[in-house]
Amino acid sequence: MALSDDELRERFSPYHDRELPQAEHDAVRDALEKNPALAREYKDFCAMLDGLGSLGAPKAPTPLLQGVQTKLHKRSGGRFYRDRWSRTAGLFPVELLAALLLIALVVAYFAMTSIQVRTPPPTAPYVAPPPSSPPATTPAR
Amino acid sequence: MNLDPEAELRLVERLKRRDEAAFNVFVRTYEQKVFALVLRMLGNRADAQDLAQEVFVTVFRSIDSFRGDSRLGTWLYRVAVNHCKNRMKYLDRRATRAHDAIEDAHEASVADGGATGGRPDRPDESAEGSELEGVIQRALASLDEEHRTLLILRELESLPYEDIMLITGLPEGTVKSRLHRARAALREAIERRAGYKIPE
């Protein structure tokens, strides 16, 4: 199976992915072994794909969530994301957090009502000390 | 990028109930992936940020149409790619109008006898092309929308052909043949840009 250089170039990509029929795959492999210039082109082609695959993923400059919430709030006429609490990201729904808070309040209430407050023993009434006369001062001459 | 199937099922159920907390989790899970895809498609950060938000707004509104034929992440990619195609068409139309306006101004200038002629040289453009990554990114951005989409989905996002078929709506043979053409086009674009030769 004789292939021209252009026909070989057209087959670089399916050859790389091993998608050619076996006979064609072997023909490309043999042609690349015999043709150093074309083999270099194929190496360049593979390097390009490697370079493409190793491009870093660009990061969003700021989280998108707040903008999405604002858009949904406006476009739904205020139906969604009504309040500040619902705009925070979390694993638990607000209803669950509210229920947990309510349970905590009930527990705190029962704990407070079940504690007996001890009154301190009575002490002697407070007696104010007698007023003392101020020390005599001598007028300055 | 995919959640495990059970977690995904529960998430979709909550999304269909328009559970805002679940939607917050969904956005946080996928926002970087969607932003990266959209930025690579559009090549402009401000446009990408706005469009990525629009993708999530669309998901919130149309999650009822998700029937579970594919993974949620694949469906999200499909929504994102469709948004990108629409935005690129809009930007192309706008660029064409701007180009027409420039052409009109140029012709008027020629008529006035004040044409400078030719495009000003950009020495910084050839200097920028010194690194392979930059060259590849610019060459990728210069490809047509279909080639760029296929290369991004296959080479950058490493998606299997099944997912690419679902996202693009193309049969497998077509995806493969167009991907091969896209790679050849990218190679030509890289070599065309400042005669850059890929290092071994």
Side-chain angles (χ1 to χ4, degrees):
Chain A
M1 186 177 188
L3 294 167
S4 70
D5 284 3
D6 282 341
E7 285 172 332
L8 283 166
R9 284 189 192 97
E10 283 171 13
R11 284 164 175 77
F12 278 176
S13 180
Y15 176 75
H16 175 271
D17 290 353
R18 299 189 164 274
E19 288 171 0
L20 291 173
Q22 192 58 47
E24 218 171 310
H25 183 90
D26 293 347
V28 174
R29 187 196 58 213
D30 294 346
L32 290 177
E33 280 173 5
K34 287 175 194 162
N35 189 336
L38 215 56
R40 177 178 285 271
E41 277 189 44
Y42 178 68
K43 265 191 174 178
D44 289 348
F45 177 81
C46 294
M48 177 194 77
L49 291 184
D50 288 345
L52 191 57
S54 63
L55 289 181
K59 298 259 181 206
T62 52
L64 301 178
L65 184 59
Q66 199 177 345
V68 175
Q69 290 171 340
T70 305
K71 284 183 176 185
L72 282 171
H73 180 71
K74 280 183 186 168
R75 292 181 198 176
S76 66
R79 186 177 160 205
F80 295 109
Y81 292 104
R82 279 193 296 267
D83 52 60
R84 196 164 57 87
W85 292 105
S86 66
R87 296 188 192 196
T88 56
L91 289 171
F92 304 108
V94 176
E95 292 83 358
L96 180 61
L97 291 175
L100 289 174
L101 187 63
L102 191 64
I103 290 168
L105 284 174
V106 169
V107 168
Y109 173 78
F110 280 113
M112 287 172 71
T113 52
S114 64
I115 291 172
Q116 290 183 340
V117 179
R118 287 186 184 173
T119 51
T123 54
Y126 176 75
V127 179
S132 57
S133 54
T137 55
T138 53
R141 288 184 185 178
Chain B
M1 132 166 195
N2 286 320
L3 301 168
D4 76 79
E6 281 190 20
E8 186 173 301
L9 201 63
R10 285 196 299 275
L11 181 62
V12 170
E13 282 170 8
R14 288 178 66 189
L15 291 178
K16 287 188 176 180
R17 293 198 303 268
R18 302 297 187 276
D19 181 330
E20 292 171 5
F23 188 69
N24 292 343
V25 173
F26 173 72
V27 175
R28 286 266 164 93
T29 305
Y30 290 104
E31 63 181 353
Q32 291 298 340
K33 280 282 184 185
V34 169
F35 177 78
L37 173 72
V38 171
L39 178 56
R40 281 166 173 157
M41 295 281 286
L42 298 182
N44 177 293
R45 293 187 86 83
D47 279 344
Q49 178 137 5
D50 178 60
L51 196 67
Q53 289 175 358
E54 291 297 334
V55 169
F56 286 109
V57 170
T58 300
V59 169
F60 188 85
R61 287 172 154 180
S62 58
I63 187 67
D64 292 325
S65 67
F66 175 67
R67 296 186 304 272
D69 298 337
S70 65
R71 302 298 301 272
L72 182 62
T74 308
W75 184 74
L76 175 64
Y77 265 2
R78 183 173 185 146
V79 173
V81 167
N82 285 340
H83 264 289
C84 287
K85 284 179 178 176
N86 289 339
R87 181 66 66 98
M88 282 190 285
K89 277 180 196 159
Y90 164 75
L91 292 172
D92 281 350
R93 282 199 300 273
R94 203 173 64 173
T96 306
R97 279 202 296 274
H99 180 74
D100 288 348
I102 290 165
E103 288 289 305
D104 290 347
H106 176 73
E107 281 169 17
S109 175
V110 169
D112 291 346
T116 53
R119 187 169 153 263
D121 288 333
R122 289 277 314 278
D124 56 324
E125 230 175 42
S126 57
E128 281 170 8
S130 57
E131 288 185 4
L132 178 61
E133 187 172 313
V135 171
I136 290 177
Q137 276 177 338
R138 280 189 292 279
L140 188 64
S142 74
L143 299 183
D144 69 49
E145 165 241 302
E146 188 176 65
H147 284 166
R148 202 183 328 162
T149 304
L150 289 172
L151 285 171
I152 289 168
L153 294 178
R154 181 66 183 167
E155 310 295 347
L156 293 168
E157 302 298 332
S158 303
L159 294 182
Y161 282 121
E162 297 79 44
D163 284 0
I164 299 175
M165 287 157 58
L166 288 167
I167 291 166
T168 58
L170 297 170
E172 186 174 1
T174 310
V175 169
K176 285 182 178 177
S177 62
R178 289 186 187 176
L179 180 66
H180 297 324
R181 283 205 289 275
R183 286 169 172 175
L186 180 67
R187 183 165 156 260
E188 281 172 22
I190 288 173
E191 287 175 0
R192 202 169 49 241
R193 295 182 78 82
Y196 189 84
K197 203 74 185 160
I198 300 163
E200 286 177 42

